[in-house]
Amino acid sequence: MHSLHQPLALLADPQCPADRVRLLTESLGLPLATEVRGSALLLHLSPERLELSKPGDPDLPGALWVDFTRPAARKRALHPGRELLVQAAKVRHAASPLVIDATAGLGRDGFLLAAAGFQVRMFECNPIVAALLQDGLERAARSPQIAAIIERMRLTVGNVLDYLQQPAEQPEVIYLDPMFPERSKAAKVKQDLQLLQLLDDQSQAPELLLQAALAIRPKKVVVKRPLKGPLLAGPAPSYTLKGKAIRFDVYVGG
Ligand SMILES: C[S@@+](CC[C@H](N)C(=O)[O-])C[C@H]1O[C@@H](n2cnc3c(N)ncnc32)[C@H](O)[C@@H]1O
């Protein structure tokens, strides 16, 4: 675990309900900023949404927020069967299988799994990332076109390793995407994800996640890896599905 110690504060527009502002500052332990100053990292709450930004840094994109109603996201959700992730995760003889998305991030993969009919239990240990995701889920739940998908997604903030010690439900599938974006400007990280690099990485070693996931004995554990990345230490995957830049290692068990 490493930290860049970026100062982070919450900036709330005056129209935002005071109780929501208080809940966010208290649950995230953030000071309330009264103005945009310097190039500190800001969590900005407006009546429309919660977003992460770093005003004053010309190298970074404007802001990052979660939006499942974006046309590109909705388009992908129309044909989930085309997604390599969905092909990797699919299980036979289960009408609405339960998947633990152990590394929820911004919920992009979780959304695809939910669009494919999975009940998705998402876990995210970084409270800032989780707050962005929760805000995106709440907004999307009000969008009639995708509300049914969002209903299948549930987020828990915390370390999934704690949950996996004694899971409340037996999942058919556990999905792991431990690739926290590289902390390098040179890395080919999608523009909006560069902002995430500035947050503390609270991730656990991916091997620990794999070990804990296999111990639950789900039908499948699916791990997203860089295409040429090494296998995670542990048993060899049963098979691999390869995309252009990433691959899914699938461990069949159960
Ligand atoms: C590469 S991102 C996942 C991206 C996600 N698949 C998506 O589609 O948006 C990995 C995320 O897993 C989270 N994470 C890592 N270890 C975790 C753990 N032990 N428990 C919960 N979340 C964890 C990190 O904080 C990070 O946000």
Side-chain angles (χ1 to χ4, degrees), residues 154-209:
R154 196 186 299 162
L155 172 65
T156 302
V157 188
N159 186 341
V160 73
L161 287 176
D162 297 338
Y163 178 80
L164 290 177
Q165 278 178 12
Q166 220 172 3
E169 301 166 289
Q170 176 64 25
E172 263 85 21
V173 179
I174 300 182
Y175 173 54
L176 309 175
D177 172 13
M179 305 194 293
F180 203 82
E182 291 290 320
R183 287 179 192 279
S184 150
K185 287 236 163 137
K188 283 191 195 137
V189 174
K190 277 191 197 151
Q191 274 256 308
D192 58 350
L193 295 183
Q194 286 180 15
L195 276 165
L196 288 187
Q197 296 177 343
L198 302 176
L199 299 174
D200 281 352
D201 181 0
Q202 303 175 347
S203 310
Q204 309 293 318
E207 283 77 13
L208 287 182
L209 289 173

Side-chain angles (χ1 to χ4, degrees), residues 2 5 9 15-16 50 52 55 76 94 122 126 202 204 220 245:
H2 35 232
H5 300 298
Q15 310 92 308
C16 296
L50 183 67
L52 184 66
R76 284 180 81 181
M122 298 181 291
N126 185 309
Q202 303 175 347
Q204 309 293 318
K220 275 181 177 178

Side-chain angles (χ1 to χ4, degrees), residues 79-143:
H79 307 286
R82 292 180 187 167
E83 299 288 335
L84 207 56
L85 166 62
V86 171
Q87 292 162 18
K90 79 175 173 224
V91 283
R92 292 207 193 112
H93 314 302
S96 190
L98 188 75
V99 57
I100 291 182
D101 178 357
T103 51
L106 298 176
R108 296 170 191 204
D109 290 332
F111 181 67
L112 291 174
L113 291 167
F118 283 87
Q119 293 289 338
V120 187
R121 304 287 184 259
M122 298 181 291
F123 289 81
E124 176 50 55
C125 63
N126 185 309
I128 306 293
V129 177
L132 292 170
L133 176 53
Q134 186 59 42
D135 178 67
L137 289 170
E138 284 166 19
R139 271 181 287 107
R142 297 195 289 270
S143 167

